[in-house]
Amino acid sequence: MEVSLTVSAANPPRLVTESAGLSFALNQGAAPGSAPLTVANRGSGTLEFAVSVATDSGGRWLSAAPPGGSLTSGVPVALTVAANPAGLGAGTYTGRVLITSPLAGQGVTVPVTMTVSAVRQTILLSQTGLTFTAVAGGGVVPPQTFGVLNTRQGAMAWTAVRSTLSGGANWLTVSPASGTSEAGALKVPLVEVGVQPAGLAPGDYYGQIRVVAPGADNSPQVVSVVLKVLPAGSNPGPVVRPTGLIFASVAGTSPPGSQEVLISNLTDTPLSFTSGRLTLDGKDWFVSVPVSETVSPARPTRLVVQTDTTILTPGIRRGVVTLLFADGSVQAVNLLSVLLGNGTTKGVVGAEGCVPTTLLPLFTVLAANSTAVAGWPTPVEVKVVDDCGDPMVRGSVVAAFSNGDGALPLAPLGEGRWSGTWQPRRSATAGVTVTVTAQIPDLRVRGTVQATVGVQANPSVPVVGQAALVNAASFGPQAVTAPGSIVSIFGSRLSDGEAQAKTLPLQTELGGVTAAMAGQPLPLLYVSGQQVNAVIPYGIQTNAQHQVVVRRGDSYSVPENITVAPAQPAIFTLDLSGRGQGLIFLTRPNGFVLAEGANPARAGDVVVVYATGLGEVNPAVATGAAAPGLPLSRVVTPVEARIGGRDAAVQFAGLAPGFVGLYQVNVQVPPGVEPSPAATLVLLQNGAPSNTVTLAVR
């Protein structure tokens, strides 16, 4: 027998990070916020790296640690990025974390945004989307929940309102319809969302849950809901929740209480199962009942799991309940047992007894070998305890995905539960590895858990790309916009065709597409399958993160966040790349001419710079309406300019008459600018710089 072995050359070291950007929302005078940032070497060998930070305004509010390190293949390093609002006024501050490997000549820049607010309440929903599957004439679909958090201060009163796009209004239910969320509460109020598919024909149905809190700076926030109704006789498989259970106790005391798993049958006929037990140490330290049962379509079956700690020595143990169904499907419920030694002082770090050394996350909603659908929301939920058996209630929990989807921070629901919504951007028949990392930096403890999930293709749903709402002039990586800005929303299947606005004022529906931010419809300039160009409404709350949702026909995208600042200037360029020759003009006897090589500007000339993102104007102009010529609408936030590195006088900054979302800034070229066919020009507002463009100066 011949055997051949092919040895390929090693891939060179490659520096990567899993995050497209970090955002912090903090109150004035609040404690610093922190977030993890993972860097890795996707090649071979060892890669040395250094970490530095830079800010555009606000001083030294941004930091990252450690300052550097070494990366070997397959062993990522977690950085801690911190944002400190101390001494800063309400506003939006931008900066960057720069990760470089000088010897390899590589670098990665991660944009960072910090919004500092004087408003004392902010809504955070633990899920931004929910997906339900039902069978026409089939069994009861189990409800799902999301948490309503107040990430700032005090008590936040809220209401939850449901709406649907098709199938009538009654298939979607929500309970409770109102509540109050206390900042810093150990337990977060949950909203239960249910579906009633009776009478619906097979197909896809979309709805929304809108959470409104009048005292919050980012109200409203929405949860997109998808209901897929399969034809009668279909079998999507049973639903088992939760997919993991954690038991913690102290040796010599009463065993921990039993826990339940609900098994739902979505078909129209009874489905039987039998269960098996497996433990890593081979000991029978838990029981589950019933051992076998038939699940009715009308009512879920409760599987009760109980551990027996009397036969065990202290330690960490893992087990699994395996469920074999009559239809041939197999599902598993993973178990984790943490048994502490007798006399341990639980929950007191440094006390005589238990000091945590590791974190133990366990998936409770996402199941290994399950299948998600591209473009539709997939909940990711874990429960985390430390090796002292105490639930993790602070720190950070982040999910990362092997298919390149951006990192997903999970929200704390209390009692060690952490939750978030993953929207797979593309199908992956080979499976996507989901890695959840939990860490508490000041205790220097962390832990990970993994599951591999298949992702089905989905040609029908609109998908907004992650961090894909950008300024239409600069296309910069900073996910920040301002009232009145022209923005581009990139994604897939956003429209069934291409359409362009032909009348003013702009309409909020174009080619069967609408888009909304903060619950307000956006005037639309252009739509296609991959791009939507829109205008951000005036009057929107600034220094806050708002959701953007695209609707195509009877379907919704999953919401994506964007930070809205009072101003975020961006200059249009000749090739629409955001770089190079700016749309900068000189007035000549024969009209406007581009300030480029054949028509350079001179000291004393006034150039007209076309931009967007300069914020509110006075007198006010209705969003989507053409700017007036008399009186001119001037910007509220003062504009500064620099040409060739020298301060340049701004003679006018406001809306360009007759246009929507287009600003013009008249700037006088200062003396002393070095002649160049590509002199630099940059605009600034509140310290926030625009993209740097060029013009010709003689």
Side-chain angles (χ1 to χ4, degrees), residues 297-486:
R299 186 177 60 257
T301 291
R302 297 178 183 272
L303 181 75
V304 180
V305 182
Q306 174 69 63
T307 59
D308 180 8
T309 57
T310 61
I311 63 171
L312 299 178
T313 57
I316 298 171
R317 291 175 172 81
R318 296 185 183 274
V320 63
V321 180
T322 303
L323 303 171
L324 174 62
F325 292 89
D327 62 2
S329 62
V330 178
Q331 296 204 34
V333 179
N334 293 303
L335 307 183
L336 173 67
S337 171
V338 181
L339 182 63
L340 305 179
N342 194 12
T344 298
T345 304
K346 289 186 61 186
V348 182
V349 177
E352 182 181 358
C354 189
V355 177
T357 61
T358 190
L359 296 173
L360 304 166
L362 188 70
F363 285 108
T364 56
V365 171
L366 191 72
N369 302 316
S370 61
T371 301
V373 179
W376 281 355
T378 299
V380 177
E381 186 171 311
V382 296
K383 187 166 185 178
V384 190
V385 299
D386 59 31
D387 53 350
C388 293
D390 291 311
M392 175 184 172
V393 295
R394 63 188 181 93
S396 65
V397 180
V398 178
F401 308 94
S402 63
N403 67 340
D405 285 342
L408 172 68
L410 304 187
L413 297 179
E415 300 178 331
R417 293 177 60 190
W418 296 74
S419 177
T421 299
W422 170 39
Q423 183 190 24
R425 259 64 183 190
R426 59 189 67 87
S427 60
T429 53
V432 175
T433 300
V434 183
T435 303
V436 172
T437 301
Q439 58 182 328
I440 306 177
D442 60 304
L443 296 182
R444 297 185 178 180
V445 292
R446 68 193 305 269
T448 63
V449 64
Q450 288 187 332
T452 299
V453 178
V455 179
Q456 292 180 349
N458 185 2
S460 62
V461 65
V463 176
V464 175
Q466 202 160 28
L469 190 150
V470 297
N471 193 296
S474 66
F475 299 108
Q478 207 83 43
V480 181
T481 188
S485 298
I486 302 174

Side-chain angles (χ1 to χ4, degrees), residues 262-328:
L262 291 182
I263 305 170
S264 299
N265 174 14
L266 302 182
T267 71
D268 58 359
T269 58
L271 180 65
S272 62
F273 73 88
T274 186
S275 64
R277 294 178 296 158
L278 183 66
T279 60
L280 193 60
D281 61 2
K283 296 182 179 180
D284 294 331
W285 48 266
F286 73 90
V287 295
S288 61
V289 292
V291 175
S292 61
E293 186 63 274
T294 298
V295 186
S296 165
R299 186 177 60 257
T301 291
R302 297 178 183 272
L303 181 75
V304 180
V305 182
Q306 174 69 63
T307 59
D308 180 8
T309 57
T310 61
I311 63 171
L312 299 178
T313 57
I316 298 171
R317 291 175 172 81
R318 296 185 183 274
V320 63
V321 180
T322 303
L323 303 171
L324 174 62
F325 292 89
D327 62 2

Side-chain angles (χ1 to χ4, degrees), residues 8-225:
S8 301
N11 293 323
R14 184 164 66 93
L15 180 68
V16 298
T17 180
E18 64 188 18
S19 178
L22 298 175
S23 296
F24 298 89
L26 302 168
N27 273 109
Q28 286 180 285
S34 65
L37 177 62
T38 300
V39 293
N41 176 6
R42 290 283 173 84
S44 60
T46 301
L47 192 67
E48 303 295 326
F49 70 94
V51 180
S52 60
V53 298
T55 59
D56 296 318
S57 61
R60 303 181 64 178
W61 55 267
L62 181 63
S63 63
S70 179
L71 291 168
T72 56
S73 180
V75 183
V77 172
L79 309 178
T80 299
V81 179
N84 187 354
L88 296 178
T92 299
Y93 302 86
T94 56
R96 295 162 297 284
V97 177
L98 304 110
I99 307 162
T100 58
S101 180
L103 294 180
Q106 300 178 28
V108 177
T109 299
V110 179
V112 181
T113 302
M114 177 178 68
T115 56
V116 179
S117 176
V119 179
R120 298 302 180 185
Q121 298 172 356
T122 294
I123 307 170
L124 174 62
L125 304 182
S126 67
Q127 299 286 344
T128 56
L130 300 170
T131 299
F132 295 85
T133 300
V135 176
V140 174
V141 181
Q144 299 182 48
T145 62
F146 65 88
V148 182
L149 293 81
N150 174 14
T151 62
R152 295 291 178 87
Q153 298 177 357
M156 180 182 73
W158 50 265
T159 57
V161 181
R162 63 186 172 91
S163 63
T164 60
L165 290 180
S166 60
N170 294 330
W171 64 261
L172 182 61
T173 64
V174 59
S175 178
S178 62
T180 301
S181 298
E182 295 278 353
L186 296 179
K187 193 170 183 179
V188 173
L190 299 179
V191 176
E192 183 177 274
V193 180
V195 295
Q196 306 292 335
L200 294 179
D204 300 337
Y205 299 85
Y206 290 80
Q208 275 189 350
I209 307 297
R210 178 181 291 204
V211 178
V212 179
D217 61 3
N218 63 341
S219 178
Q221 295 283 289
V222 300
V223 178
S224 292
V225 180

